[in-house]
Structures are given as structure tokens and as C-alpha cells.
Amino acid sequence: MKIRWSHCVLKVRDFDTMLAFYCEAFGWRVADQGEVAPGIRIAFLSGSSTDHHQIGLLEMADDGEGKNVDHNAFRVESIGDVMEMHARMSTDDRVSRVAPVTHGNAVSVYFSDPEGNGIEIFCDTPWHVEQPVIAGWDPTMSADEVLADIEERFKDSPGFMPMTQYRSQQAARFGEAQ
């Protein structure tokens, strides 16, 4: 299994200041934003059409632990890889909070490492879904069943479209050659 680092999500206290900083300093744009819970905003920022987001900013009060990173995310090549990682982490007593999650545009497993650091292992789905979206998926299903279930659940969601169409729109937005 090939695992590549993809993005991180930072917990921020001053959401508007941090959003302006990353957009102005890095030239990034907001790919999606919304609330993960009432009064808790999240923004997904990217500087490229090939990545939905390279950083996420999650509005949070100080968690008392001084941790500013919510999680680091790593991309794998297939749903089978995500399923394999879910199975391995579900039986590893060094990790905690193992959760199969889909965002419509990805199939993920989230867990915490032995020191409590959040990790996401994910692969992309063939679709774009406006974020934030958090739902579960059934790890007892086959990879094809997981994809069919995700498509059925999200096909009527705002912004649902083939990922190729979304990336083409983003490439035009970023002024990238297609």
C-alpha cells in the first residue's frame, strides 16, 4: 500500500484572521466552507485544482491541551487500501477512536495514534460534494457496494458532480492550463 501525505486541519481561535492570512500569504482560495456544528466553522483551502484542500481551518476554542492540529491526512490509492487500514487499526490496541467516515468526495478511516494525534487515511471517490459533510460507511460492504452507497446518498447533494468536472472548473478558477 502506498501512503502519501495530503493535508492537515488546524484548530484556529480567530477564524477570520487565519482565513485571510492563508489566502493572502499563500494565494490559496476557499474550495468549500460551512459549519461542522452550530457556531463551529470550517474552511477548506487550496492552491491547486488537483487537491480539494491542502489545509483546513477548524474554528475551535482552546482545547486545554495546546494541540492546534486536529489531524493529518494521508492519501491511499483505493477503497480497498482504506478498508485494509480500517481492519488493521480496529485490532491495534495502540490506537483509539477508529471511525469509518465518508465526506462524499472521499472514503476515510479516522483514528488517533498512541499519543492522541488525529490521523485520516483516505482515497478519493469519483465525485465532488460540497463540504463539510460527515457520514459513516459500512466496512463490511465490498468496495463497489461502498461506492454505490455513497453515490446514492449524495447524488442529490449541493455541488454533486463528477470529480473530473469539478477539477476542470477549479483549473479554470486557478488559471491552470488544461
Side-chain angles (χ1 to χ4, degrees):
M1 174 185 327
K2 181 178 173 184
I3 300 175
R4 298 177 291 137
W5 186 85
S6 171
H7 65 270
C8 71
V9 174
L10 299 178
K11 298 176 193 174
V12 300
R13 289 178 294 282
D14 189 335
F15 185 85
D16 296 322
T17 296
M18 294 295 280
L19 181 62
F21 170 78
Y22 279 99
C23 288
E24 293 165 7
F26 289 27
W28 286 351
R29 297 174 191 240
V30 175
D32 277 314
Q33 66 180 337
E35 289 188 347
V36 295
I40 300 176
R41 296 179 290 175
I42 190 167
F44 303 94
L45 309 177
S46 184
S48 167
S49 64
T50 59
D51 295 293
H52 176 267
H53 60 284
Q54 295 168 300
I55 194 168
L57 302 176
L58 177 62
E59 185 175 41
M60 298 288 291
D62 188 347
D63 64 8
E65 297 179 21
K67 293 183 180 179
N68 288 39
V69 176
D70 181 71
H71 70 271
N72 278 291
F74 300 87
R75 182 187 311 269
V76 293
E77 296 177 2
S78 70
I79 294 174
D81 290 342
V82 176
M83 295 171 110
E84 178 184 335
M85 188 62 73
H86 177 272
R88 288 194 337 208
M89 294 303 104
S90 293
T91 60
D92 190 327
D93 62 0
R94 297 170 297 176
V95 304
S96 60
R97 301 183 310 169
V98 179
V101 172
T102 181
H103 302 294
N105 63 359
V107 176
S108 305
V109 59
Y110 283 81
F111 56 93
S112 296
D113 72 13
E115 292 193 359
N117 299 299
I119 297 174
E120 175 190 13
I121 304 292
F122 77 97
C123 73
D124 293 321
T125 69
W127 312 287
H128 169 72
V129 177
E130 287 181 15
Q131 298 300 307
V133 172
I134 301 170
W137 60 271
D138 183 350
T140 66
M141 291 179 161
S142 72
D144 289 340
E145 289 170 329
V146 169
L147 272 182
D149 180 59
I150 290 170
E151 182 178 23
E152 182 61 30
R153 284 196 279 165
F154 293 103
K155 68 183 179 184
D156 297 323
S157 297
F160 183 88
M161 68 182 78
M163 187 59 77
T164 53
Q165 180 182 348
Y166 173 77
R167 287 192 175 136
S168 180
Q169 289 176 359
Q170 291 299 93
R173 187 173 171 219
F174 284 107
E176 298 171 349
Q178 295 186 37

